[in-house]
Amino acid sequence: QQVRDLFGIARKIGIPKVTLIGDKRQIGSVEAGKIFEVLQWNGLPTAEMTEIYRQQTPHLRDSVYKTIEEKIP
């Protein structure tokens, strides 16, 4: 319902494009996070971000990549 309202408001005020950012694999995903999986399942075009920017040191960045690749038990 919230996403439908968001798109309705955007249309009413003349915003031609809405960009949603999220992660369907997010731990503890609730209604707001689940919408990304539902939209993707229904054919919404998506882009995938593959570069890590938050972790500034090579050691931390490597840990994040290993976690993403499920190489950490």
Side-chain angles (χ1 to χ4, degrees):
Q1 179 64 39
Q2 292 174 336
V3 172
R4 189 174 335 165
D5 292 345
L6 172 65
F7 286 119
I9 292 168
R11 188 173 29 257
K12 284 180 184 176
I13 63 174
I15 296 175
K17 183 177 182 179
V18 175
T19 301
L20 303 173
I21 300 172
D23 185 351
K24 69 178 183 179
R25 297 181 304 166
Q26 180 179 350
I27 296 172
S29 180
V30 293
E31 180 186 351
K34 188 73 171 169
I35 192 61
F36 293 106
E37 184 174 11
V38 172
L39 290 171
Q40 289 174 11
W41 189 81
N42 284 290
L44 182 77
T46 60
E48 184 176 342
M49 297 170 58
T50 58
E51 295 295 320
I52 303 295
Y53 295 100
R54 179 176 288 175
Q55 285 71 24
Q56 298 296 313
T57 65
H59 178 74
L60 287 175
R61 196 173 304 124
D62 186 50
S63 296
V64 172
Y65 281 118
K66 286 180 180 177
T67 302
I68 292 168
E69 296 167 2
E70 299 179 8
K71 292 184 177 177
I72 294 179

Coordinates of all heavy atoms in Angstrom, one line a residue:
Q1 N 0.8 -1.2 0.0 CA 0.0 0.0 0.0 C 0.9 1.3 0.0 O 0.6 2.2 -0.7 CB -0.9 0.0 1.2 CG -1.8 1.2 1.3 CD -2.8 1.3 0.2 OE1 -3.3 0.4 -0.3 NE2 -3.0 2.6 -0.3
Q2 N 1.9 1.3 0.8 CA 2.8 2.5 0.9 C 3.5 2.8 -0.5 O 3.6 3.9 -0.9 CB 3.8 2.3 2.0 CG 3.2 2.3 3.3 CD 4.3 2.0 4.4 OE1 5.3 1.4 4.1 NE2 4.0 2.4 5.6
V3 N 3.9 1.7 -1.2 CA 4.6 2.0 -2.5 C 3.5 2.5 -3.5 O 3.8 3.4 -4.3 CB 5.3 0.7 -3.0 CG1 5.8 0.9 -4.4 CG2 6.4 0.3 -2.0
R4 N 2.4 1.9 -3.5 CA 1.3 2.4 -4.4 C 1.0 3.8 -4.1 O 0.9 4.6 -5.0 CB 0.0 1.5 -4.2 CG -1.0 1.8 -5.2 CD -2.2 0.9 -5.0 NE -1.7 -0.4 -4.4 CZ -2.5 -1.3 -3.8 NH1 -3.8 -1.1 -3.8 NH2 -2.0 -2.3 -3.2
D5 N 0.9 4.2 -2.8 CA 0.7 5.6 -2.5 C 1.8 6.5 -3.0 O 1.6 7.6 -3.5 CB 0.5 5.8 -1.0 CG -0.7 5.1 -0.4 OD1 -1.6 4.8 -1.2 OD2 -0.8 5.0 0.8
L6 N 3.1 6.0 -2.8 CA 4.2 6.8 -3.3 C 4.2 7.1 -4.8 O 4.3 8.2 -5.2 CB 5.5 6.0 -2.9 CG 6.8 6.6 -3.5 CD1 7.1 7.9 -2.9 CD2 8.0 5.6 -3.3
F7 N 3.9 6.0 -5.6 CA 3.8 6.2 -7.0 C 2.6 7.1 -7.4 O 2.7 7.9 -8.3 CB 3.7 4.9 -7.7 CG 5.0 4.1 -7.8 CD1 5.1 2.9 -7.2 CD2 6.1 4.7 -8.4 CE1 6.3 2.2 -7.2 CE2 7.3 4.0 -8.4 CZ 7.4 2.7 -7.8
G8 N 1.5 7.0 -6.6 CA 0.4 7.9 -6.9 C 0.7 9.3 -6.6 O 0.3 10.2 -7.4
I9 N 1.4 9.6 -5.5 CA 1.7 11.0 -5.2 C 2.7 11.5 -6.3 O 2.6 12.6 -6.7 CB 2.4 11.0 -3.8 CG1 1.3 10.7 -2.8 CG2 3.0 12.4 -3.6 CD1 1.8 10.5 -1.4
A10 N 3.7 10.7 -6.6 CA 4.7 11.1 -7.7 C 4.0 11.5 -8.9 O 4.3 12.5 -9.6 CB 5.7 10.0 -7.9
R11 N 3.0 10.7 -9.4 CA 2.3 10.9 -10.6 C 1.5 12.2 -10.5 O 1.5 13.0 -11.4 CB 1.3 9.7 -10.9 CG 0.7 9.8 -12.2 CD -0.1 8.5 -12.6 NE -0.7 7.8 -11.5 CZ -0.2 6.6 -11.0 NH1 0.9 6.1 -11.5 NH2 -0.7 6.0 -10.0
K12 N 0.8 12.4 -9.3 CA 0.0 13.6 -9.1 C 0.8 14.9 -9.2 O 0.3 15.9 -9.7 CB -0.8 13.5 -7.8 CG -1.9 12.6 -7.8 CD -2.6 12.6 -6.5 CE -3.7 11.6 -6.5 NZ -4.4 11.5 -5.1
I13 N 2.0 14.9 -8.7 CA 2.8 16.1 -8.6 C 3.8 16.2 -9.8 O 4.6 17.1 -9.9 CB 3.5 16.3 -7.3 CG1 4.6 15.2 -7.0 CG2 2.5 16.4 -6.2 CD1 5.4 15.4 -5.8
G14 N 3.7 15.3 -10.8 CA 4.4 15.4 -12.0 C 5.9 14.9 -12.0 O 6.7 15.3 -12.8
I15 N 6.2 14.0 -11.0 CA 7.5 13.4 -11.0 C 7.5 12.2 -11.9 O 6.7 11.2 -11.7 CB 7.9 13.0 -9.6 CG1 8.0 14.2 -8.7 CG2 9.2 12.2 -9.6 CD1 8.3 13.9 -7.2
P16 N 8.2 12.2 -13.0 CA 8.1 11.1 -14.0 C 8.8 9.8 -13.7 O 8.6 8.8 -14.2 CB 8.8 11.8 -15.3 CG 9.8 12.7 -14.7 CD 9.1 13.3 -13.4
K17 N 9.8 9.9 -12.7 CA 10.5 8.7 -12.4 C 10.8 8.6 -10.9 O 11.2 9.6 -10.3 CB 11.9 8.7 -13.2 CG 12.7 7.5 -13.0 CD 14.0 7.6 -13.9 CE 14.8 6.4 -13.8 NZ 16.0 6.5 -14.7
V18 N 10.6 7.4 -10.3 CA 10.9 7.2 -8.9 C 12.0 6.1 -8.8 O 11.8 5.1 -9.5 CB 9.7 6.8 -8.1 CG1 10.0 6.4 -6.7 CG2 8.6 7.8 -8.2
T19 N 13.0 6.4 -8.1 CA 14.1 5.4 -8.0 C 14.0 4.8 -6.6 O 14.1 5.5 -5.6 CB 15.5 6.0 -8.2 OG1 15.5 6.6 -9.5 CG2 16.6 5.0 -8.1
L20 N 13.9 3.5 -6.5 CA 13.9 2.8 -5.2 C 15.2 2.1 -5.0 O 15.8 1.5 -5.9 CB 12.8 1.7 -5.2 CG 11.4 2.2 -5.5 CD1 10.4 1.1 -5.6 CD2 10.9 3.2 -4.4
I21 N 15.8 2.2 -3.8 CA 17.1 1.6 -3.5 C 16.9 0.7 -2.3 O 16.3 1.1 -1.3 CB 18.1 2.7 -3.2 CG1 18.3 3.6 -4.4 CG2 19.4 2.0 -2.7 CD1 19.2 4.8 -4.1
G22 N 17.3 -0.6 -2.4 CA 17.1 -1.5 -1.3 C 17.8 -2.8 -1.6 O 18.5 -3.0 -2.7
D23 N 17.6 -3.8 -0.8 CA 18.2 -5.1 -0.9 C 17.2 -6.1 -0.4 O 16.8 -6.2 0.7 CB 19.4 -5.1 0.0 CG 20.2 -6.4 -0.1 OD1 19.8 -7.3 -0.7 OD2 21.3 -6.4 0.5
K24 N 16.8 -7.0 -1.4 CA 15.8 -8.0 -1.1 C 16.4 -9.1 -0.1 O 15.7 -9.8 0.5 CB 15.2 -8.6 -2.3 CG 16.2 -9.5 -3.1 CD 15.6 -10.1 -4.3 CE 16.5 -11.0 -5.0 NZ 15.9 -11.6 -6.2
R25 N 17.7 -9.1 0.0 CA 18.4 -10.1 0.8 C 18.7 -9.5 2.2 O 19.4 -10.1 3.0 CB 19.6 -10.6 0.2 CG 19.4 -11.4 -1.1 CD 20.6 -11.9 -1.7 NE 21.6 -10.8 -1.9 CZ 22.9 -11.0 -2.2 NH1 23.4 -12.2 -2.3 NH2 23.6 -10.0 -2.4
Q26 N 18.2 -8.3 2.5 CA 18.5 -7.6 3.7 C 18.1 -8.5 4.9 O 17.0 -9.0 4.9 CB 17.8 -6.3 3.7 CG 18.0 -5.5 5.0 CD 17.2 -4.2 4.9 OE1 16.7 -3.8 3.9 NE2 17.1 -3.5 6.0
I27 N 18.9 -8.6 5.9 CA 18.6 -9.3 7.1 C 17.4 -8.7 7.8 O 17.4 -7.4 8.0 CB 19.8 -9.4 8.1 CG1 20.9 -10.2 7.4 CG2 19.4 -10.1 9.4 CD1 22.2 -10.2 8.1
G28 N 16.5 -9.4 8.2 CA 15.3 -8.9 8.9 C 14.4 -8.1 8.1 O 13.7 -7.2 8.6
S29 N 14.3 -8.4 6.8 CA 13.5 -7.6 5.9 C 12.1 -7.6 6.3 O 11.5 -8.7 6.6 CB 13.6 -8.2 4.5 OG 12.8 -7.5 3.6
V30 N 11.5 -6.4 6.5 CA 10.1 -6.3 6.8 C 9.3 -5.8 5.6 O 9.8 -5.8 4.5 CB 9.9 -5.4 8.0 CG1 10.5 -6.0 9.3 CG2 10.6 -4.0 7.8
E31 N 8.1 -5.4 5.8 CA 7.2 -4.9 4.7 C 7.9 -4.0 3.8 O 7.9 -4.1 2.6 CB 6.0 -4.3 5.2 CG 5.0 -3.8 4.2 CD 3.8 -3.1 4.7 OE1 3.6 -3.0 5.9 OE2 3.1 -2.5 3.8
A32 N 8.6 -3.0 4.3 CA 9.3 -2.0 3.5 C 10.4 -2.6 2.6 O 10.6 -2.2 1.5 CB 9.8 -0.8 4.3
G33 N 11.1 -3.6 3.2 CA 12.2 -4.2 2.4 C 11.7 -5.3 1.5 O 12.3 -5.5 0.4
K34 N 10.6 -6.0 1.8 CA 10.1 -7.0 1.0 C 9.6 -6.5 -0.3 O 9.5 -7.3 -1.3 CB 8.9 -7.7 1.8 CG 8.4 -8.9 1.2 CD 9.3 -10.1 1.4 CE 8.7 -11.4 0.9 NZ 9.6 -12.4 0.8
I35 N 9.2 -5.3 -0.4 CA 8.7 -4.7 -1.6 C 9.6 -4.8 -2.8 O 9.2 -5.0 -3.9 CB 8.2 -3.3 -1.5 CG1 7.4 -2.8 -2.7 CG2 9.4 -2.3 -1.3 CD1 6.1 -3.6 -2.9
F36 N 10.9 -4.8 -2.5 CA 11.9 -4.9 -3.6 C 11.8 -6.3 -4.3 O 11.9 -6.4 -5.5 CB 13.3 -4.6 -3.1 CG 13.5 -3.2 -2.7 CD1 13.6 -2.9 -1.4 CD2 13.6 -2.2 -3.7 CE1 13.7 -1.5 -1.0 CE2 13.7 -0.9 -3.3 CZ 13.8 -0.6 -2.0
E37 N 11.7 -7.3 -3.4 CA 11.6 -8.7 -4.0 C 10.3 -8.8 -4.8 O 10.3 -9.4 -5.9 CB 11.6 -9.7 -2.8 CG 11.6 -11.1 -3.3 CD 11.8 -12.1 -2.2 OE1 11.8 -11.7 -1.0 OE2 12.0 -13.3 -2.5
V38 N 9.2 -8.3 -4.3 CA 7.9 -8.4 -4.9 C 8.0 -7.6 -6.3 O 7.5 -8.2 -7.3 CB 6.8 -7.8 -4.0 CG1 5.5 -7.7 -4.8 CG2 6.6 -8.7 -2.8
L39 N 8.5 -6.5 -6.3 CA 8.6 -5.7 -7.6 C 9.5 -6.4 -8.6 O 9.2 -6.5 -9.7 CB 9.1 -4.3 -7.3 CG 8.1 -3.3 -6.5 CD1 8.9 -2.1 -6.1 CD2 6.9 -3.0 -7.4
Q40 N 10.6 -6.9 -8.1 CA 11.5 -7.6 -9.0 C 10.8 -8.9 -9.5 O 11.0 -9.2 -10.7 CB 12.8 -8.0 -8.3 CG 13.7 -6.8 -8.1 CD 14.9 -7.1 -7.2 OE1 15.2 -8.2 -7.0 NE2 15.6 -6.0 -6.8
W41 N 10.2 -9.6 -8.7 CA 9.5 -10.8 -9.1 C 8.4 -10.5 -10.2 O 8.1 -11.3 -11.0 CB 8.8 -11.5 -7.9 CG 8.3 -12.8 -8.2 CD1 8.9 -14.0 -8.2 CD2 6.9 -13.2 -8.4 NE1 8.1 -15.0 -8.5 CE2 6.8 -14.6 -8.6 CE3 5.7 -12.4 -8.5 CZ2 5.6 -15.2 -8.9 CZ3 4.5 -13.1 -8.7 CH2 4.5 -14.5 -8.9
N42 N 7.9 -9.3 -10.1 CA 6.8 -8.9 -11.1 C 7.4 -8.2 -12.3 O 6.7 -7.6 -13.1 CB 5.8 -8.0 -10.4 CG 4.8 -8.9 -9.6 OD1 4.0 -9.6 -10.1 ND2 4.9 -8.8 -8.3
G43 N 8.7 -8.2 -12.5 CA 9.4 -7.7 -13.7 C 9.9 -6.3 -13.7 O 10.3 -5.8 -14.7
L44 N 9.9 -5.7 -12.5 CA 10.5 -4.3 -12.5 C 12.0 -4.4 -12.8 O 12.7 -5.2 -12.3 CB 10.4 -3.7 -11.0 CG 10.9 -2.3 -10.9 CD1 9.8 -1.3 -11.5 CD2 11.1 -2.0 -9.4
P45 N 12.4 -3.5 -13.8 CA 13.8 -3.5 -14.2 C 14.7 -3.1 -13.0 O 14.3 -2.2 -12.2 CB 13.9 -2.5 -15.3 CG 12.5 -2.3 -15.7 CD 11.6 -2.6 -14.6
T46 N 15.8 -3.8 -12.8 CA 16.7 -3.5 -11.7 C 18.1 -3.3 -12.2 O 18.5 -3.8 -13.2 CB 16.7 -4.6 -10.6 OG1 17.1 -5.8 -11.2 CG2 15.3 -4.7 -10.0
A47 N 18.9 -2.7 -11.3 CA 20.4 -2.6 -11.6 C 21.0 -3.1 -10.3 O 20.5 -3.0 -9.2 CB 20.8 -1.1 -11.8
E48 N 22.2 -3.7 -10.4 CA 22.9 -4.2 -9.3 C 24.2 -3.4 -9.0 O 25.0 -3.2 -9.9 CB 23.2 -5.7 -9.5 CG 23.9 -6.3 -8.3 CD 24.1 -7.8 -8.5 OE1 23.5 -8.4 -9.4 OE2 24.9 -8.4 -7.7
M49 N 24.3 -3.0 -7.8 CA 25.5 -2.3 -7.4 C 26.5 -3.3 -6.9 O 26.2 -4.2 -6.1 CB 25.2 -1.3 -6.3 CG 24.3 -0.2 -6.8 SD 23.7 0.9 -5.5 CE 25.1 1.5 -4.8
T50 N 27.7 -3.4 -7.5 CA 28.7 -4.4 -7.1 C 30.0 -3.8 -6.4 O 30.8 -4.6 -5.9 CB 29.2 -5.2 -8.4 OG1 29.7 -4.2 -9.3 CG2 28.0 -5.9 -9.0
E51 N 30.1 -2.5 -6.4 CA 31.3 -2.0 -5.7 C 31.0 -1.6 -4.3 O 29.9 -1.0 -4.1 CB 31.8 -0.7 -6.5 CG 32.3 -1.0 -7.9 CD 33.6 -1.9 -7.9 OE1 34.4 -1.7 -7.0 OE2 33.7 -2.8 -8.7
I52 N 31.9 -1.8 -3.4 CA 31.7 -1.5 -2.0 C 32.4 -0.2 -1.7 O 33.6 0.0 -2.0 CB 32.3 -2.6 -1.1 CG1 31.7 -3.9 -1.4 CG2 32.2 -2.2 0.4 CD1 30.2 -4.0 -1.0
Y53 N 31.7 0.8 -1.2 CA 32.3 2.1 -0.9 C 32.3 2.5 0.6 O 33.1 3.3 1.0 CB 31.5 3.2 -1.7 CG 31.7 3.1 -3.2 CD1 30.7 2.5 -3.9 CD2 32.9 3.5 -3.8 CE1 30.9 2.4 -5.3 CE2 33.0 3.4 -5.1 CZ 32.0 2.8 -5.9 OH 32.2 2.7 -7.2
R54 N 31.4 1.9 1.4 CA 31.3 2.3 2.8 C 32.5 1.9 3.6 O 33.0 2.7 4.3 CB 30.0 1.6 3.4 CG 29.9 1.9 4.9 CD 28.6 1.3 5.4 NE 27.5 2.1 4.9 CZ 26.2 1.7 5.1 NH1 25.9 0.7 5.9 NH2 25.3 2.4 4.6
Q55 N 33.0 0.7 3.4 CA 34.2 0.3 4.1 C 35.4 0.8 3.4 O 35.7 0.6 2.2 CB 34.3 -1.3 4.2 CG 33.4 -1.9 5.1 CD 31.9 -1.8 4.7 OE1 31.6 -1.7 3.5 NE2 31.0 -1.9 5.7
Q56 N 36.2 1.6 4.1 CA 37.3 2.4 3.5 C 38.6 1.6 3.5 O 39.5 1.9 2.6 CB 37.5 3.7 4.2 CG 36.3 4.6 4.2 CD 36.0 5.1 2.8 OE1 36.9 5.5 2.0 NE2 34.7 4.9 2.4
T57 N 38.9 0.7 4.4 CA 40.1 0.0 4.4 C 40.0 -1.3 3.6 O 39.0 -1.9 3.5 CB 40.6 -0.4 5.8 OG1 39.6 -1.3 6.4 CG2 40.6 0.9 6.7
P58 N 41.1 -1.7 2.9 CA 41.1 -2.9 2.1 C 40.6 -4.2 2.9 O 39.9 -5.0 2.4 CB 42.5 -3.1 1.6 CG 43.0 -1.7 1.6 CD 42.4 -1.0 2.8
H59 N 41.1 -4.2 4.2 CA 40.7 -5.4 5.1 C 39.2 -5.5 5.3 O 38.6 -6.5 5.1 CB 41.5 -5.3 6.4 CG 41.2 -6.4 7.4 ND1 41.7 -7.6 7.2 CD2 40.4 -6.4 8.5 CE1 41.2 -8.4 8.2 NE2 40.4 -7.6 9.0
L60 N 38.6 -4.4 5.6 CA 37.2 -4.4 5.9 C 36.4 -4.6 4.6 O 35.4 -5.4 4.5 CB 36.7 -3.1 6.5 CG 37.1 -2.8 7.9 CD1 36.7 -1.4 8.4 CD2 36.4 -3.9 8.8
R61 N 36.9 -4.0 3.5 CA 36.2 -4.2 2.2 C 36.3 -5.7 1.7 O 35.3 -6.2 1.3 CB 36.8 -3.3 1.1 CG 36.0 -3.1 -0.1 CD 36.6 -2.1 -1.1 NE 36.8 -0.8 -0.4 CZ 37.9 -0.1 -0.4 NH1 39.0 -0.6 -1.0 NH2 38.0 1.0 0.2
D62 N 37.4 -6.3 1.9 CA 37.6 -7.7 1.6 C 36.6 -8.6 2.4 O 36.0 -9.5 1.9 CB 39.0 -8.1 1.8 CG 39.3 -9.5 1.4 OD1 38.9 -9.8 0.2 OD2 39.9 -10.3 2.1
S63 N 36.4 -8.2 3.7 CA 35.5 -9.0 4.5 C 34.1 -8.9 4.0 O 33.3 -9.9 4.0 CB 35.6 -8.5 6.0 OG 36.8 -8.7 6.5
V64 N 33.7 -7.7 3.5 CA 32.3 -7.6 3.0 C 32.2 -8.4 1.7 O 31.2 -9.1 1.6 CB 32.0 -6.1 2.7 CG1 30.7 -5.9 2.0 CG2 32.0 -5.3 4.1
Y65 N 33.2 -8.3 0.8 CA 33.1 -9.1 -0.4 C 33.0 -10.6 -0.1 O 32.2 -11.3 -0.7 CB 34.3 -8.9 -1.3 CG 34.1 -7.6 -2.1 CD1 35.1 -6.6 -1.9 CD2 33.1 -7.4 -3.0 CE1 35.0 -5.4 -2.6 CE2 33.0 -6.2 -3.7 CZ 34.0 -5.2 -3.5 OH 33.9 -4.0 -4.3
K66 N 33.7 -11.1 0.9 CA 33.7 -12.5 1.3 C 32.3 -12.9 1.9 O 31.8 -13.9 1.6 CB 34.8 -12.8 2.3 CG 36.1 -12.9 1.6 CD 37.3 -13.2 2.6 CE 38.6 -13.3 1.8 NZ 39.7 -13.5 2.7
T67 N 31.7 -12.0 2.6 CA 30.4 -12.2 3.2 C 29.4 -12.3 2.0 O 28.5 -13.2 2.0 CB 30.0 -11.1 4.2 OG1 31.0 -11.0 5.2 CG2 28.7 -11.3 4.8
I68 N 29.5 -11.4 1.1 CA 28.6 -11.4 0.0 C 28.7 -12.7 -0.8 O 27.7 -13.3 -1.2 CB 28.8 -10.2 -1.0 CG1 28.4 -8.9 -0.3 CG2 28.1 -10.3 -2.3 CD1 28.9 -7.6 -1.0
E69 N 29.9 -13.1 -1.0 CA 30.1 -14.4 -1.7 C 29.9 -15.6 -0.9 O 30.2 -16.7 -1.3 CB 31.6 -14.4 -2.3 CG 31.8 -13.3 -3.3 CD 33.3 -13.0 -3.6 OE1 34.1 -13.8 -3.0 OE2 33.6 -12.1 -4.4
E70 N 29.5 -15.4 0.4 CA 29.3 -16.5 1.3 C 30.5 -17.4 1.6 O 30.4 -18.6 1.7 CB 28.1 -17.3 0.9 CG 26.8 -16.5 0.8 CD 25.6 -17.3 0.3 OE1 25.7 -18.5 0.2 OE2 24.6 -16.6 0.1
K71 N 31.7 -16.8 1.6 CA 32.9 -17.5 1.9 C 33.3 -17.5 3.3 O 34.3 -18.0 3.7 CB 34.0 -16.9 1.0 CG 33.9 -17.2 -0.5 CD 35.1 -16.7 -1.2 CE 34.9 -17.1 -2.7 NZ 36.0 -16.5 -3.5
I72 N 32.5 -16.8 4.1 CA 32.7 -16.7 5.6 C 31.6 -17.6 6.2 O 30.4 -17.4 6.0 CB 32.6 -15.3 6.1 CG1 33.7 -14.5 5.5 CG2 32.6 -15.3 7.6 CD1 33.8 -13.0 6.0
P73 N 32.1 -18.6 7.0 CA 31.1 -19.5 7.6 C 30.2 -18.8 8.6 O 30.5 -17.9 9.2 CB 32.0 -20.6 8.3 CG 33.3 -20.0 8.4 CD 33.4 -18.9 7.4

